[in-house]
Amino acid sequence: MSLKRLLKEKRLIEKELSGYSESIELLEPVAFENFLKWRAVLKGPVNTPYHKHSFKLLIELPSEYPLVPPAITFEPYSMPHCNVEFSTGKICLNILEHEHWSPVWNLMYVMVALYQLLQEPVVDSPLNIDLANILRAGDTSAYHGLINYYLQEDTATH
Amino acid sequence: MANDEDYQYSSSDDDFPEQQYYEPLEHRDITNNILDDYEYLNYDTDSLESFNSDVDIVDGMAVSHVTNPNKKRSIEGAMVNLKYECFTTQDIFNNMLEKVDRLQPMFSIPREDIILLLQKYGWDEDRLLEDWTNKMDGLLIEAGIHINNEQKELPKSQRGISNRDFFTCPICCEDQIKETYSLECGHEYCISCYRHYIEDRLNKGNIITCMSCSLALKNTDIDELMNGPSSEKLMHSSIKSFVQKHNENYRWCPFTDCKCIVHIQDTTEFVEYIRLHYSPYVLCNESHRFCFSCSFEMHSPADCEITSSWIKKAKKESDNLNWVLSHTKECPKCSVNIEKNGGCNHMICSSCKYEFCWICNSDWKPHGSSFYQCTMYNNDELKTQTVIEDVSKTLKRYTFFYRMFNEHEVSAKLDWQLGQTVGNKIKSLQEKMGVSWIEGQFLTESLKILNEGRTALKWSFAVVFYSDSSHNLTKIFVDNQALLANSVEDLSALLQIKSPETIMEKKVEFYNKAGYVENRTYALMECGRELISKGIVKITN
Ligand SMILES: [Zn+2]
Ligand SMILES: [Zn+2]
Ligand SMILES: [Zn+2]
Ligand SMILES: [Zn+2]
Ligand SMILES: [Zn+2]
Ligand SMILES: [Zn+2]
């Protein structure tokens, strides 16, 4: 783990985050003195059922970072998405897998990739089978309906 | 050998003529025949070197051309004429390098590049050749050997290590970096980051690329960066994933720490043999025999199906049942703790000299007579029936069979340890008695036969567990089990003798007992196959 690298990433994020106000609401270390735990909030992209909702992410940087990818999950029970396991928030995204990860990427890059995932769910590697099946069948209204249902449940219980 | 007829098995008779096939052999004079069989022990002198490490030399590759009816029979339950080869990853890698040399004149690109192409094609020469003739240049870009158009726009760079003054590495963000590495693409990182990156990927078996683009690191780059032959590691892991991808035809030897890979080119005959309940046993170069189909040790008289069900069940039940599966037991007479240090179940208390049976804890005396009188195997038909039926209604039944299975597994392990001393025994025979190495091989051979017998005995309990206990053939099978158990114990006891003089005196006894165990093993296996073929074994989990 390189402290210099983390400091540089943090400075870069502070400088560039305002340019991403459409997509990334928040990206910062959880505590001032601990750079290994981060939190983030993604905004729901327009023209998706996630629009007008925001989604919390938990980020842990393993000690070998950036040699190995960061461990990122959505907050459990908050993200209805083809490639997210609803109960755990686990994400299926190939750049977050060790063998596909490259040390040249950084947290900002990952956030942008996750935002894209919200725009374009990948039906071939589903972690939420129900949603993937509906999407595969091309039933857009059922798809939107189910996501809305999940999202309202979520707001209701909080 | 003359006794062969007695074991020839025809399955046409529905009525099972017990005496004809499984008649006990102890009254027969088998000495001469067995001595004849040992004549084949005419080894090449080059196999002499390995006798210390290789207990199983008789079946080793060096002498595998020797045919012997006895030998063939001992692995009955196996497919006949099964053709296979045994490799190590190094052997396979060498084959791959030969491929590279064959392709090189055709491709006229550096060998390193051909290796990259083969890696990309999962070492499939034919598929590579086909694509190569169709789209050479495209292929070289795809495999990351040549830079693509996008990469061409980057500042050109030399492949290799550069010495810099104040370079800031984009990965670790350290400044004042002195040594960097880059490929032609110009993506430049410090040596230390590159090393970590490569180290992390060597065991994944995939082509390692530049951290920023698809340009591939060649083996020469990897070795230059890592200051040593690290690419070899990558090649080995690449071969490993090759073997995994071709698991129809390749199998890793399942024995701990064994690096052998067995290759069978043609598995089409399997179906027919497995239908007849034969298993495709293979022998690796380290003399481990295992089933190519289910990757377990030799499991006859059980077939693959019984084996996997049994293992599954054992895994499932192991938490529920608390077996005492230790190597030590209290003497039933004086309660002194006794450690079992051989496979033999005939225990003699070191303190009070009480002789008892490890399995049933009772007096050994009745066990010692010609029939194995342990209550666990009592040959008396009525009693056997009672044992099998009594326990059948409860979980006890499974516990009983598992315990028997386990006892023999433990015994087999202890016998194996015993085998480590056999080499020393042979040495002392040579030194003290002037016995030639070849003459001393009867010990090694006996141990091997003991082990096969023990293993068959062990798996036979899985067979009985799933068998219909009321069927006459099950009873015959249990009788055969008892006979084998008896002979195995005898041979195991014989192998514990330490004095070289006594060993040589008992040489004929070794031959006799080993030959007998071999016959009994074969008989039990054939009886088991009959049991399975006739549908008397039912898998219920
Ligand atoms: Zn670096
Ligand atoms: Zn590059
Ligand atoms: Zn092996
Ligand atoms: Zn098998
Ligand atoms: Zn005692
Ligand atoms: Zn006993």
Side-chain angles (χ1 to χ4, degrees):
Chain A
M1 161 70 65
S2 159
L3 188 63
K4 275 199 180 144
R5 155 89 182 224
L6 287 181
L7 280 169
K8 194 174 168 189
E9 274 204 46
K10 188 169 175 289
R11 272 202 308 274
L12 186 87
I13 289 164
E14 281 162 357
K15 205 174 96 193
E16 292 185 349
L17 197 62
S18 57
Y20 291 91
S21 60
E22 288 293 300
S23 50
I24 308 170
E25 202 171 290
L26 181 85
L27 178 58
E28 63 179 22
V30 167
F32 179 69
E33 66 295 332
N34 181 3
F35 279 11
L36 294 182
K37 270 196 165 66
W38 291 58
R39 64 179 157 220
V41 176
L42 279 184
K43 284 182 177 171
V46 279
N47 299 325
T48 71
Y50 307 108
H51 189 48
K52 295 208 155 87
H53 291 275
S54 48
F55 302 94
K56 284 187 196 150
L57 288 152
L58 314 164
I59 304 168
E60 275 189 55
L61 302 183
S63 58
E64 299 95 343
Y65 180 83
L67 191 63
V68 301
I72 304 186
T73 54
F74 279 98
E75 194 178 48
Y77 297 105
S78 75
M79 185 38 133
H81 186 284
C82 277
N83 309 105
V84 179
E85 192 174 61
F86 192 66
S87 62
T88 60
K90 225 182 110 203
I91 304 165
C92 177
L93 178 63
N94 67 348
I95 66 155
L96 289 178
E97 286 158 16
H98 190 173
E99 56 169 317
H100 299 295
W101 169 257
S102 167
V104 298
W105 296 331
N106 55 32
L107 289 175
M108 204 64 179
Y109 177 87
V110 173
M111 284 307 125
V112 173
L114 282 171
Y115 186 75
Q116 270 171 20
L117 190 67
L118 297 197
Q119 290 172 311
E120 295 156 29
V122 185
V123 204
D124 297 330
S125 53
L127 279 174
N128 188 324
I129 314 286
D130 294 340
L131 278 173
N133 283 341
I134 296 174
L135 194 59
R136 226 182 257 136
D139 191 343
T140 322
S141 68
Y143 175 69
H144 281 246
L146 187 55
I147 290 177
N148 276 328
Y149 173 76
Y150 273 124
L151 291 175
Q152 270 151 28
E153 279 279 288
D154 187 51
T155 16
T157 51
H158 281 74
Chain B
M1 108 177 236
N3 287 342
D4 252 346
E5 292 90 54
D6 300 316
Y7 292 92
Q8 223 120 67
Y9 209 79
S10 90
S11 51
S12 54
D13 288 324
D14 272 304
D15 247 346
F16 194 76
E18 171 184 6
Q19 286 308 310
Q20 197 180 334
Y21 299 118
Y22 300 113
E23 119 188 58
L25 285 172
E26 62 263 25
H27 52 270
R28 233 180 253 164
D29 180 23
I30 51 173
T31 317
N32 291 332
N33 293 326
I34 286 169
L35 282 172
D36 284 343
D37 284 333
Y38 278 78
E39 273 175 16
Y40 72 90
L41 290 167
N42 277 321
Y43 297 112
D44 317 337
T45 37
D46 59 356
S47 53
L48 274 164
E49 296 138 31
S50 52
F51 84 92
N52 267 335
S53 59
D54 191 357
V55 174
D56 213 354
I57 188 86
V58 177
D59 258 340
M61 294 315 233
V63 289
S64 58
H65 59 276
V66 180
T67 49
N68 173 309
N70 210 15
K71 198 101 304 351
K72 224 173 137 191
R73 241 187 34 187
S74 73
I75 54 162
E76 206 65 43
M79 286 171 57
V80 279
N81 303 327
L82 184 61
K83 282 187 195 68
Y84 60 89
E85 298 162 286
C86 181
F87 298 114
T88 60
T89 40
Q90 188 62 50
D91 295 332
I92 296 184
F93 182 49
N94 291 342
N95 289 349
M96 301 303 184
L97 290 183
E98 279 168 28
K99 268 188 197 178
V100 173
D101 289 335
R102 268 201 309 277
L103 294 174
Q104 214 268 332
M106 252 181 287
F107 281 43
S108 37
I109 54 172
R111 292 181 86 240
E112 301 309 316
D113 295 353
I114 299 176
I115 291 179
L116 282 174
L117 284 172
L118 275 170
Q119 260 181 290
K120 184 177 160 58
Y121 278 82
W123 302 96
D124 187 335
E125 200 179 350
D126 298 334
R127 219 160 47 84
L128 169 61
L129 268 170
E130 201 184 301
D131 281 7
W132 177 254
T133 39
N134 292 337
K135 49 167 188 178
M136 274 181 218
D137 292 339
L139 208 57
L140 286 170
I141 290 171
E142 254 179 63
I145 295 165
H146 286 174
I147 50 177
N148 60 31
N149 290 333
E150 256 172 65
Q151 291 156 336
K152 272 185 189 135
E153 319 216 320
L154 289 160
K156 274 255 174 80
S157 160
Q158 279 277 321
R159 185 178 278 254
I161 295 173
S162 310
N163 291 305
R164 307 275 248 122
D165 274 338
F166 292 102
F167 179 78
T168 302
C169 170
I171 307 289
C172 59
C173 302
E174 293 292 332
D175 39 27
Q176 305 187 340
I177 296 285
K178 297 259 190 281
E179 256 190 322
T180 65
Y181 199 89
S182 87
L183 303 177
E184 288 89 345
C185 56
H187 296 124
E188 187 177 6
Y189 309 102
C190 81
I191 283 273
S192 153
C193 280
Y194 239 125
R195 281 187 186 144
H196 281 121
Y197 170 72
I198 291 171
E199 187 68 54
D200 188 50
R201 277 160 173 75
L202 284 177
N203 58 5
K204 303 269 189 334
N206 299 322
I207 294 174
I208 304 177
T209 63
C210 164
M211 285 185 251
S212 275
C213 68
S214 55
L215 216 50
L217 288 160
K218 302 179 187 189
N219 284 350
T220 41
D221 300 318
I222 292 168
D223 293 341
E224 185 186 8
L225 265 160
M226 303 303 278
N227 270 327
S230 288
S231 60
E232 236 170 73
K233 226 172 156 183
L234 179 66
M235 287 302 104
H236 278 264
S237 54
S238 175
I239 302 294
K240 270 187 192 166
S241 58
F242 166 82
V243 170
Q244 254 138 36
K245 270 190 210 120
H246 297 81
N247 59 6
E248 282 288 304
N249 302 92
Y250 290 88
R251 280 281 184 290
W252 295 97
C253 171
F255 284 71
T256 328
D257 294 333
C258 186
K259 301 211 161 46
C260 292
I261 301 159
V262 171
H263 175 226
I264 298 186
Q265 189 64 51
D266 181 18
T267 56
T268 47
E269 282 183 10
F270 277 30
V271 190
E272 180 57 12
Y273 277 99
I274 284 167
R275 197 181 64 78
L276 297 169
H277 305 282
Y278 284 110
S279 304
Y281 296 125
V282 293
L283 188 71
C284 85
N285 282 352
E286 300 293 325
S287 300
H288 305 130
R289 201 183 298 286
F290 66 95
C291 173
F292 192 86
S293 182
C294 69
S295 278
F296 264 100
E297 64 172 0
M298 185 164 170
H299 50 60
S300 288
D303 63 3
C304 296
E305 202 189 346
I306 295 176
T307 303
S308 64
S309 308
W310 177 260
I311 297 290
K312 243 183 252 156
K313 190 163 182 66
K315 275 190 188 137
K316 209 174 81 192
E317 305 285 353
S318 64
D319 294 334
N320 308 340
L321 301 160
N322 238 342
W323 293 299
V324 189
L325 305 170
S326 67
H327 283 222
T328 55
K329 237 179 210 178
E330 281 185 1
C331 165
K333 269 262 166 67
C334 73
S335 300
V336 151
N337 268 327
I338 301 169
E339 201 178 340
K340 198 169 189 245
N341 49 19
C344 179
N345 287 316
H346 178 188
M347 306 304 295
I348 304 171
C349 172
S350 52
S351 171
C352 73
K353 307 294 174 204
Y354 178 60
E355 297 185 30
F356 67 101
C357 164
W358 178 264
I359 292 173
C360 67
N361 262 358
S362 61
D363 197 345
W364 183 259
K365 265 189 212 110
H367 293 75
S369 59
S370 60
F371 264 59
Y372 196 57
Q373 290 297 310
C374 178
T375 49
M376 296 300 183
Y377 310 96
N378 204 318
N379 198 52
D380 178 52
E381 218 175 82
L382 246 171
K383 272 196 182 171
T384 312
Q385 179 96 27
T386 326
V387 171
I388 295 176
E389 275 176 5
D390 269 355
V391 289
S392 70
K393 280 154 200 118
T394 58
L395 193 75
K396 268 188 197 151
R397 180 173 141 83
Y398 175 68
T399 316
F400 168 81
F401 285 109
Y402 186 83
R403 185 158 179 266
M404 297 310 292
F405 178 90
N406 194 74
E407 288 292 356
H408 284 288
E409 180 158 271
V410 172
S411 295
K413 275 187 194 134
L414 294 170
D415 279 338
W416 196 248
Q417 283 165 23
L418 191 70
Q420 311 302 310
T421 68
V422 162
N424 293 332
K425 283 185 189 168
I426 295 174
K427 243 186 201 160
S428 71
L429 283 183
Q430 287 173 289
E431 283 159 11
K432 292 189 186 151
M433 313 274 300
V435 171
S436 74
W437 177 81
I438 287 164
E439 258 188 285
Q441 282 308 295
F442 69 91
L443 278 179
T444 312
E445 183 65 4
S446 303
L447 184 72
K448 183 181 150 299
I449 291 168
L450 174 66
N451 227 273
E452 286 183 358
R454 193 75 88 179
T455 311
L457 203 51
K458 185 175 98 176
W459 285 102
S460 70
F461 287 98
V463 175
V464 182
F465 174 72
Y466 290 115
S467 296
D468 174 0
S469 59
S470 65
H471 200 283
N472 194 39
L473 195 53
T474 306
K475 287 166 202 155
I476 293 165
F477 186 77
V478 173
D479 288 351
N480 272 278
Q481 235 184 347
L483 289 169
L484 178 59
N486 192 16
S487 66
V488 155
E489 293 302 334
D490 278 358
L491 183 59
S492 181
L494 209 52
L495 277 159
Q496 309 229 340
I497 298 172
K498 289 191 182 72
S499 139
E501 289 83 4
T502 321
I503 289 173
M504 282 318 283
E505 268 166 35
K506 299 204 173 209
K507 192 173 165 183
V508 174
E509 209 177 317
F510 271 96
Y511 283 142
N512 285 347
K513 294 215 156 128
Y516 186 54
V517 168
E518 209 171 18
N519 288 342
R520 299 288 9 144
T521 305
Y522 174 70
L524 185 66
M525 284 178 176
E526 279 302 279
C527 186
R529 221 164 57 73
E530 180 77 13
L531 204 62
I532 296 166
S533 311
K534 288 198 167 152
I536 300 161
V537 183
K538 287 232 159 54
I539 310 259
T540 46
N541 262 344

